[in-house]
Coordinates of all heavy atoms in Angstrom, one line a residue:
P143 N -14.3 70.7 -7.2 CA -13.9 69.7 -8.2 C -15.0 69.5 -9.2 O -16.1 70.1 -9.1 CB -13.7 68.4 -7.4 CG -14.7 68.6 -6.3 CD -14.8 70.1 -5.9
E144 N -14.8 68.7 -10.2 CA -15.8 68.3 -11.1 C -17.0 67.6 -10.4 O -16.7 66.9 -9.4 CB -15.3 67.4 -12.2 CG -14.3 68.0 -13.2 CD -15.0 69.1 -14.0 OE1 -16.1 68.8 -14.4 OE2 -14.4 70.1 -14.2
P145 N -18.2 67.8 -10.8 CA -19.3 67.1 -10.1 C -19.2 65.6 -10.1 O -18.7 65.0 -11.1 CB -20.5 67.5 -11.0 CG -20.1 68.8 -11.7 CD -18.7 68.6 -11.9
I146 N -19.6 65.0 -9.0 CA -19.6 63.5 -8.9 C -21.0 63.0 -9.3 O -22.0 63.4 -8.6 CB -19.2 63.1 -7.5 CG1 -17.8 63.5 -7.2 CG2 -19.4 61.6 -7.3 CD1 -17.3 63.2 -5.8
T147 N -21.1 62.2 -10.3 CA -22.4 61.6 -10.7 C -22.6 60.2 -10.1 O -21.6 59.5 -9.9 CB -22.5 61.6 -12.2 OG1 -21.4 60.8 -12.7 CG2 -22.4 63.0 -12.8
G148 N -23.8 59.9 -9.8 CA -24.0 58.5 -9.3 C -24.9 57.7 -10.1 O -25.6 58.2 -11.1
G149 N -25.0 56.4 -9.9 CA -25.8 55.5 -10.6 C -27.2 55.5 -10.1 O -27.6 54.6 -9.4
L150 N -28.0 56.4 -10.5 CA -29.4 56.5 -10.1 C -30.2 55.4 -10.7 O -30.0 55.0 -11.9 CB -30.0 57.9 -10.6 CG -31.5 58.1 -10.3 CD1 -31.8 58.1 -8.9 CD2 -31.9 59.4 -11.0
A151 N -31.1 54.8 -9.9 CA -31.9 53.7 -10.4 C -33.3 53.8 -9.8 O -33.5 54.3 -8.7 CB -31.3 52.3 -9.9
L152 N -34.3 53.4 -10.6 CA -35.7 53.4 -10.2 C -36.1 51.9 -10.1 O -35.7 51.1 -10.9 CB -36.6 54.0 -11.3 CG -36.3 55.5 -11.6 CD1 -37.3 56.0 -12.6 CD2 -36.3 56.4 -10.3
D153 N -36.9 51.6 -9.1 CA -37.4 50.3 -8.9 C -38.5 50.0 -10.0 O -39.5 50.7 -10.0 CB -38.1 50.1 -7.5 CG -38.5 48.7 -7.2 OD1 -39.1 48.1 -8.1 OD2 -38.3 48.2 -6.1
P154 N -38.2 49.1 -10.9 CA -39.1 49.0 -12.1 C -40.5 48.6 -11.7 O -41.5 49.1 -12.3 CB -38.4 47.9 -13.0 CG -37.5 47.2 -12.1 CD -37.0 48.2 -11.0
V155 N -40.6 47.7 -10.7 CA -42.0 47.2 -10.3 C -42.7 48.4 -9.7 O -43.9 48.7 -10.0 CB -41.9 46.0 -9.4 CG1 -43.3 45.6 -8.9 CG2 -41.2 44.8 -10.1
V156 N -42.1 49.0 -8.7 CA -42.7 50.1 -8.0 C -43.1 51.3 -9.0 O -44.2 51.8 -9.0 CB -41.8 50.6 -6.8 CG1 -42.4 51.9 -6.2 CG2 -41.7 49.5 -5.8
A157 N -42.1 51.7 -9.8 CA -42.2 52.8 -10.7 C -43.4 52.6 -11.7 O -44.2 53.4 -11.9 CB -40.9 53.1 -11.4
H158 N -43.4 51.4 -12.3 CA -44.4 51.1 -13.3 C -45.8 51.1 -12.7 O -46.8 51.6 -13.3 CB -44.2 49.8 -14.0 CG -43.2 50.0 -15.1 ND1 -43.3 50.9 -16.1 CD2 -42.0 49.3 -15.4 CE1 -42.3 50.8 -17.0 NE2 -41.5 49.9 -16.6
D159 N -45.9 50.6 -11.4 CA -47.2 50.5 -10.8 C -47.7 51.9 -10.5 O -48.9 52.2 -10.7 CB -47.1 49.7 -9.5 CG -47.0 48.2 -9.7 OD1 -47.3 47.8 -10.8 OD2 -46.7 47.5 -8.7
V160 N -46.9 52.8 -10.0 CA -47.3 54.2 -9.7 C -47.6 54.9 -11.0 O -48.6 55.6 -11.1 CB -46.1 54.9 -9.0 CG1 -46.4 56.4 -8.9 CG2 -45.9 54.3 -7.6
L161 N -46.8 54.8 -12.0 CA -47.0 55.5 -13.3 C -48.2 55.0 -14.0 O -48.9 55.8 -14.7 CB -45.7 55.4 -14.2 CG -44.5 56.0 -13.6 CD1 -43.3 55.6 -14.5 CD2 -44.6 57.5 -13.5
R162 N -48.5 53.7 -13.9 CA -49.7 53.2 -14.6 C -51.0 53.8 -14.0 O -51.9 54.1 -14.7 CB -49.7 51.7 -14.4 CG -50.9 51.0 -15.1 CD -51.0 49.5 -14.7 NE -49.8 48.8 -15.0 CZ -49.6 48.1 -16.2 NH1 -50.6 48.1 -17.0 NH2 -48.5 47.4 -16.4
D163 N -51.0 54.1 -12.7 CA -52.1 54.7 -12.1 C -52.3 56.2 -12.6 O -53.4 56.7 -12.7 CB -52.0 54.7 -10.6 CG -52.1 53.3 -10.0 OD1 -52.7 52.4 -10.7 OD2 -51.7 53.1 -8.8
L164 N -51.1 56.8 -12.8 CA -51.2 58.2 -13.2 C -51.6 58.4 -14.7 O -52.4 59.3 -15.0 CB -49.9 58.9 -13.0 CG -49.5 59.2 -11.5 CD1 -48.1 59.7 -11.4 CD2 -50.5 60.1 -10.8
V165 N -51.0 57.6 -15.6 CA -51.3 57.7 -17.0 C -51.6 56.3 -17.5 O -50.9 55.7 -18.3 CB -50.1 58.2 -17.8 CG1 -50.0 59.7 -17.6 CG2 -48.8 57.6 -17.3
P166 N -52.8 55.8 -17.2 CA -53.2 54.4 -17.5 C -53.2 54.2 -19.0 O -53.0 53.0 -19.5 CB -54.6 54.2 -16.9 CG -55.1 55.6 -16.7 CD -53.9 56.5 -16.4
A167 N -53.6 55.2 -19.8 CA -53.7 55.0 -21.3 C -52.4 54.7 -21.9 O -52.3 54.2 -23.0 CB -54.3 56.2 -21.9
S168 N -51.3 55.0 -21.2 CA -49.9 54.8 -21.8 C -49.4 53.4 -21.6 O -48.4 53.0 -22.1 CB -48.9 55.8 -21.2 OG -49.2 57.1 -21.5
Y169 N -50.2 52.6 -20.8 CA -49.8 51.2 -20.5 C -50.6 50.1 -21.1 O -51.8 50.1 -20.9 CB -49.8 51.1 -18.9 CG -48.5 51.6 -18.3 CD1 -48.3 52.9 -18.0 CD2 -47.4 50.7 -18.1 CE1 -47.2 53.4 -17.4 CE2 -46.2 51.2 -17.5 CZ -46.1 52.5 -17.2 OH -45.0 53.0 -16.6
V170 N -50.0 49.3 -21.9 CA -50.6 48.1 -22.4 C -49.6 46.9 -22.2 O -48.4 47.0 -22.5 CB -50.8 48.2 -24.0 CG1 -51.4 46.9 -24.5 CG2 -51.8 49.3 -24.2
D171 N -50.1 45.9 -21.5 CA -49.2 44.8 -21.2 C -48.7 44.0 -22.4 O -49.5 43.7 -23.3 CB -49.9 43.8 -20.2 CG -50.2 44.4 -18.8 OD1 -49.4 45.3 -18.5 OD2 -51.1 43.9 -18.2
A172 N -47.4 43.7 -22.4 CA -46.9 42.9 -23.5 C -47.2 41.4 -23.2 O -47.5 41.0 -22.1 CB -45.4 43.1 -23.5
V173 N -47.2 40.6 -24.3 CA -47.5 39.2 -24.2 C -46.2 38.4 -24.5 O -45.7 38.6 -25.6 CB -48.7 38.8 -25.1 CG1 -48.9 37.3 -25.0 CG2 -49.9 39.5 -24.8
D174 N -45.8 37.6 -23.6 CA -44.5 36.8 -23.8 C -44.8 35.7 -24.8 O -45.9 35.2 -24.9 CB -44.1 36.2 -22.5 CG -43.4 37.2 -21.6 OD1 -43.2 38.4 -22.1 OD2 -43.2 36.9 -20.4
A175 N -43.7 35.4 -25.6 CA -43.8 34.2 -26.5 C -43.8 33.0 -25.6 O -43.2 33.0 -24.5 CB -42.5 34.2 -27.4
T176 N -44.4 31.9 -26.0 CA -44.5 30.7 -25.2 C -44.1 29.5 -26.1 O -43.9 29.6 -27.3 CB -45.9 30.5 -24.7 OG1 -46.8 30.3 -25.9 CG2 -46.4 31.7 -23.9
V177 N -43.9 28.4 -25.4 CA -43.5 27.1 -26.0 C -44.6 26.1 -25.6 O -45.0 25.9 -24.5 CB -42.2 26.6 -25.5 CG1 -41.8 25.2 -26.1 CG2 -41.1 27.6 -25.8
V178 N -45.2 25.4 -26.7 CA -46.3 24.5 -26.5 C -46.0 23.2 -27.2 O -45.2 23.2 -28.2 CB -47.6 25.0 -26.9 CG1 -48.0 26.2 -26.0 CG2 -47.6 25.5 -28.4
F179 N -46.6 22.1 -26.8 CA -46.4 20.8 -27.5 C -47.5 20.6 -28.5 O -48.7 20.7 -28.2 CB -46.4 19.6 -26.5 CG -46.1 18.3 -27.1 CD1 -44.9 17.9 -27.6 CD2 -47.2 17.4 -27.3 CE1 -44.7 16.7 -28.2 CE2 -47.0 16.2 -27.9 CZ -45.7 15.8 -28.4
D180 N -47.1 20.3 -29.8 CA -48.1 20.1 -30.8 C -48.2 18.6 -31.0 O -47.3 17.9 -31.5 CB -47.6 20.7 -32.1 CG -48.5 20.5 -33.3 OD1 -49.5 19.7 -33.2 OD2 -48.4 21.3 -34.3
A181 N -49.4 18.0 -30.5 CA -49.6 16.6 -30.5 C -49.6 16.0 -31.9 O -49.1 14.9 -32.1 CB -50.9 16.3 -29.8
D182 N -50.2 16.8 -32.8 CA -50.2 16.3 -34.2 C -48.8 16.1 -34.8 O -48.6 15.1 -35.6 CB -51.1 17.2 -35.1 CG -52.6 17.2 -34.7 OD1 -53.0 16.2 -34.1 OD2 -53.2 18.2 -34.9
A183 N -48.0 17.1 -34.6 CA -46.6 17.0 -35.1 C -45.7 16.3 -34.2 O -44.5 16.1 -34.6 CB -46.1 18.5 -35.4
A184 N -46.1 15.9 -33.0 CA -45.3 15.3 -32.0 C -44.0 16.0 -31.8 O -42.9 15.5 -31.7 CB -45.0 13.8 -32.5
S185 N -44.1 17.4 -31.7 CA -42.9 18.2 -31.4 C -43.4 19.5 -30.7 O -44.6 19.8 -30.7 CB -42.2 18.5 -32.7 OG -43.0 19.3 -33.6
Y186 N -42.4 20.2 -30.3 CA -42.7 21.5 -29.6 C -42.7 22.7 -30.6 O -41.8 22.7 -31.5 CB -41.7 21.8 -28.5 CG -41.9 20.9 -27.3 CD1 -41.3 19.7 -27.1 CD2 -42.8 21.4 -26.2 CE1 -41.6 18.9 -26.0 CE2 -43.0 20.6 -25.1 CZ -42.4 19.4 -25.0 OH -42.6 18.6 -23.9
T187 N -43.6 23.6 -30.4 CA -43.6 24.8 -31.3 C -43.8 26.0 -30.4 O -43.8 25.9 -29.2 CB -44.8 24.7 -32.3 OG1 -44.7 25.8 -33.2 CG2 -46.1 24.6 -31.6
T188 N -44.0 27.2 -31.0 CA -44.0 28.4 -30.2 C -45.2 29.3 -30.6 O -45.8 29.1 -31.7 CB -42.8 29.3 -30.4 OG1 -42.7 29.7 -31.8 CG2 -41.5 28.5 -30.1
T189 N -45.6 30.1 -29.7 CA -46.6 31.2 -30.0 C -45.8 32.5 -29.9 O -44.9 32.7 -29.2 CB -47.7 31.2 -28.9 OG1 -47.2 31.5 -27.6 CG2 -48.4 29.9 -28.9
A190 N -46.2 33.4 -30.8 CA -45.5 34.7 -31.0 C -45.7 35.6 -29.8 O -46.7 35.7 -29.2 CB -45.9 35.3 -32.3
A191 N -44.7 36.4 -29.6 CA -44.7 37.5 -28.6 C -45.5 38.7 -29.2 O -45.5 38.9 -30.4 CB -43.3 37.9 -28.2
E192 N -46.1 39.5 -28.3 CA -46.8 40.7 -28.7 C -46.3 41.9 -27.8 O -46.3 41.8 -26.6 CB -48.3 40.6 -28.5 CG -48.9 39.5 -29.4 CD -50.4 39.4 -29.2 OE1 -51.0 40.3 -28.5 OE2 -51.0 38.4 -29.7
P193 N -45.7 42.9 -28.5 CA -45.2 44.1 -27.7 C -46.3 44.8 -27.0 O -47.5 44.8 -27.4 CB -44.5 44.9 -28.7 CG -45.2 44.6 -30.0 CD -45.6 43.2 -29.9
G194 N -46.0 45.5 -25.9 CA -46.9 46.4 -25.2 C -46.4 47.8 -25.2 O -45.6 48.2 -26.1
S195 N -46.8 48.6 -24.2 CA -46.4 50.0 -24.2 C -46.3 50.4 -22.7 O -46.9 49.8 -21.8 CB -47.3 50.9 -25.0 OG -48.6 50.9 -24.4
G196 N -45.6 51.5 -22.5 CA -45.4 52.0 -21.1 C -44.4 53.2 -21.1 O -43.8 53.5 -22.2
L197 N -44.3 53.8 -20.0 CA -43.3 54.9 -19.9 C -41.9 54.3 -20.0 O -41.6 53.2 -19.4 CB -43.5 55.7 -18.7 CG -44.4 57.0 -18.9 CD1 -45.8 56.5 -19.3 CD2 -44.4 57.8 -17.6

Side-chain angles (χ1 to χ4, degrees):
E144 291 293 322
I146 296 176
T147 58
L150 173 64
L152 302 181
D153 185 316
V155 175
V156 172
H158 279 307
D159 285 346
V160 170
L161 296 171
R162 184 189 297 267
D163 289 340
L164 290 176
V165 282
S168 295
Y169 275 85
V170 176
D171 290 334
V173 178
D174 287 346
T176 64
V177 178
V178 294
F179 181 74
D180 184 341
D182 293 334
S185 63
Y186 285 89
T187 185
T188 63
T189 63
E192 297 179 9
S195 65
L197 266 63

